[in-house]
Amino acid sequence: MEESSNSSEKGLLLLGFSDQPQLERILFVIILFVYILSLLGNTAIILASCLDPKLHTPMYFFLCNLSCVDICFTTSVAPQLLVTMSRKDKNMSYGACVAQLYVAMGLGSSECVLLAVMAYDRYAAVCRPLRYTTIMHPQLCSSLASTAWLGGLITSLIQCSLTLQLPLCGHRKLDHIFCEVPVLIRLACVDTTFNEVELFVASVIFLIVPVSLILASYGCITQTVLRIKSAAGRRKAFGTCSSHLAVVIIFYGTIIFMYLQPAKSSSKIRGKFVSLSYTIVTPLLNPIIYTLRNKDVKGAVGTLVMGNALGSERA
């Protein structure tokens, strides 16, 4: 009993890349740069979507929600990781670990659902263009977004609470970049079969089901687009969906690798880079892809920047 309480009293050692000091220094600079760009880019999308009346459509409503999730998700991981990487003392309080566990799990699950919702929105826009505004009415959009947020909250409360019941028996070294369920299961000193099965079931619900819905949506979209006679029309239709699909492939590909395998069988160094991908890199891809490849967002962001510049000059 005394050993089990040691971790909560003394905290945990978040090792990260401390066994490779040169790599750790390089990654510190990269992560800091990517994190700042991610905050700026996603904030710009949120402001543009809210302030530009032309972007008050279902697609940009969901994009705004995705940017909110990405800002919170990457912020739940990056600052603590940067602080830990910048000092020799790798200690992280148990309370901070618990908070990070709940927040990251909830936001990651919400993003899984939200990306599936965005795929359905693209399906309705491309395959049912005449009925699009009727199908994607404001009440449905609000309900779908609320379902994504609420689903993440519920799975976080269940999954993380079960994981925190596992005794660590004094084990304090967390050989990862942040407090994550598979890593804590690996750290436990008792039989974790139940937790691994429960994690697998939750992963199927929040990963496999959304991916299946996304693939089905894009299958229908592809069939519809191929029937368009105009080459320009086909390019435009594919262009509206390719950006979303790129984010989906990177996000789901890495997170499925992390969660849909036995918790004690994953390579530690590979797991760290995989986690970096969906917690740090993917949140940056959202603003990059949607601003560089979308004329509406690019124009709205440009107008927003010019407006602020003119306001500063007048002041």
Side-chain angles (χ1 to χ4, degrees), residues 46-61 138:
I46 293 172
L47 291 175
S49 299
C50 293
L51 299 178
D52 192 334
K54 292 185 293 185
L55 301 184
H56 292 174
T57 63
M59 174 182 173
Y60 297 108
F61 170 75

Side-chain angles (χ1 to χ4, degrees), residues 241-252:
C241 301
S242 59
S243 55
H244 175 224
L245 194 56
V247 174
V248 165
I249 291 172
I250 296 172
F251 179 76
Y252 281 104

Side-chain angles (χ1 to χ4, degrees), residues 123-143:
Y123 160 78
V126 176
C127 301
R128 300 287 186 271
L130 298 180
R131 299 186 58 229
Y132 176 66
T133 54
T134 304
I135 296 173
M136 302 303 295
H137 54 82
Q139 291 81 4
L140 178 62
C141 292
S142 298
S143 298

Side-chain angles (χ1 to χ4, degrees), residues 7 10-16 18 80 84 87-94 97 168 170-179 183 187:
S7 299
K10 298 180 181 179
L12 298 169
L13 295 176
L14 191 65
L15 300 182
S18 58
Q80 178 64 55
T84 305
R87 64 190 188 191
K88 292 183 179 180
D89 178 17
K90 303 299 181 182
N91 193 64
M92 178 184 187
S93 72
Y94 185 75
C97 179
L168 303 181
H171 297 161
R172 298 182 58 230
K173 293 183 178 180
L174 197 66
D175 196 4
H176 199 53
I177 63 168
F178 74 105
C179 290
V183 182
L187 201 64

